[in-house]
Amino acid sequence: PARAALAEELGRSLARLHALGFVHRDLFARNLLVETGPAGPSIVFLDAWRGGPGRGLRGPIHDLACLMLDGARLFSAGEQRLLLRTYRTACPRPPGPDFLPSIARARARLVPRERGRHPEIAPDWNFLDAE
């Protein structure tokens, strides 16, 4: 139950961050702090960045792709589904039908770049199986 609550809070917090115009740009587990309290977990995003008026190369899809690099190690399939479902429902403008394939494509582009820092990353792991 605690892990499910954490997955939901991460989905909600990330949707709120993105709705306010912030992106993380390197949303890896090492850049998250989890605070626990009587009301449940809360997420602290280290190094979040407020973008300018122009569209940046790194945005919400990139953030989710970074998080999903470690997804299989951090979250069970059910927790991944819960995180992504919560993110979707918490967004003021729900993502379109290309939401999950876009994350998968962005994740595939990140794998070669992050391989040196994260040798445990599975290049062929597809989190879409979790949805």
Side-chain angles (χ1 to χ4, degrees):
R3 289 180 56 87
L6 180 60
E8 286 181 305
E9 182 55 32
L10 183 53
R12 270 192 302 276
S13 295
L14 192 53
R16 187 172 35 252
L17 183 83
H18 289 159
L20 292 172
F22 287 87
V23 293
H24 194 281
R25 301 190 307 171
D26 286 315
L27 186 61
F28 301 108
R30 66 180 180 261
N31 291 327
L32 296 173
L33 293 176
V34 178
E35 295 180 339
T36 55
S42 64
I43 309 295
V44 177
F45 296 92
L46 304 176
D47 301 327
W49 179 78
R50 173 76 180 201
R55 184 182 153 128
L57 294 176
R58 294 182 177 179
I61 295 297
H62 179 84
D63 278 355
L64 289 163
C66 287
L67 186 59
M68 288 299 133
L69 279 173
D70 287 333
R73 187 173 57 80
L74 298 173
F75 307 109
S76 70
E79 291 162 348
Q80 292 170 61
R81 281 192 296 274
L82 184 58
L83 188 157
L84 293 170
R85 194 177 313 121
T86 303
Y87 177 89
R88 261 188 167 156
T89 58
C91 284
R93 289 182 300 163
D98 198 37
F99 175 64
L100 294 176
S102 294
I103 297 168
R105 285 190 301 273
R107 183 190 184 282
R109 286 191 303 270
L110 283 170
V111 168
R113 184 188 95 185
E114 294 297 323
R115 203 81 169 118
R117 289 188 266 186
H118 302 281
E120 71 280 358
I121 291 174
D124 57 347
W125 176 68
N126 188 347
F127 75 93
L128 292 175
D129 296 336
E131 185 56 21

